[in-house]
Amino acid sequence: MKTKPRVLLIDDEAQIRSVFDSYFEDFDDFFFASAASAEEALTDLENNPADVCIVDMRLPGMDGAAFIAKARRCCRGFVVHTGSVDLELHQKLLDMGIDNEDCLLKPCDMSKILQRIRKHI
């Protein structure tokens, strides 16, 4: 029996994690979890690899780009969900293979995030 795909949100804002948790709690096509920091997410990924990580770029401690670089072995796809419009950061993400369509600015319609999750799954 195949297990459900796993999606992990990394965002330091409790309110954003709560909105995502509430939105995705009734979805049966994947398992949803969240982490408050990149470090917490990396620890989680050691035991529970993810199919998709939704990553905020501005995190305390390790930033989102550094997280993506380290998490590539434990996660197949990444969706960036950030308030940052930094062009240098955007180029860094492109260099890491993150598709333009997977870079979403906050606030973002949840249906767009769901579409990107399903693309990766």
Side-chain angles (χ1 to χ4, degrees):
M1 183 171 119
K2 186 179 181 214
T3 60
K4 289 195 291 189
R6 185 166 186 266
V7 176
L8 179 63
L9 167 71
I10 302 91
D11 199 301
D12 60 315
E13 295 181 56
Q15 183 176 3
I16 289 176
R17 291 191 312 274
S18 177
V19 167
F20 273 77
D21 287 338
S22 294
Y23 184 82
F24 290 121
E25 72 183 352
D26 293 328
F27 281 77
D28 290 333
D29 47 341
F30 56 83
F31 175 75
F32 183 81
S34 61
S37 70
E39 294 83 0
E40 179 184 336
L42 287 172
T43 299
D44 180 289
L45 288 171
E46 287 177 12
N47 298 316
N48 303 299
D51 295 279
V52 181
C53 286
I54 304 166
V55 186
D56 183 17
M57 288 291 103
R58 293 185 290 191
L59 296 166
M62 181 186 304
D63 70 12
F67 168 80
I68 291 170
K70 289 187 178 222
R72 292 181 93 62
R73 63 182 169 75
C74 303
C75 184
R76 282 192 328 202
F78 296 91
V79 175
V80 173
H81 182 242
T82 187
S84 177
V85 292
D86 182 329
L87 293 177
E88 184 177 321
L89 172 62
H90 183 71
Q91 185 58 52
K92 186 176 186 177
L93 292 170
L94 290 173
D95 292 345
M96 291 172 31
I98 305 298
D99 187 314
N100 269 332
E101 292 182 32
D102 286 326
C103 295
L104 305 172
L105 289 177
K106 290 180 182 178
C108 180
D109 184 329
M110 293 299 281
S111 65
K112 287 183 182 180
I113 293 171
L114 180 59
Q115 176 187 32
R116 301 315 303 161
I117 290 170
R118 289 190 167 141
K119 176 224 170 224
H120 287 288
I121 291 176

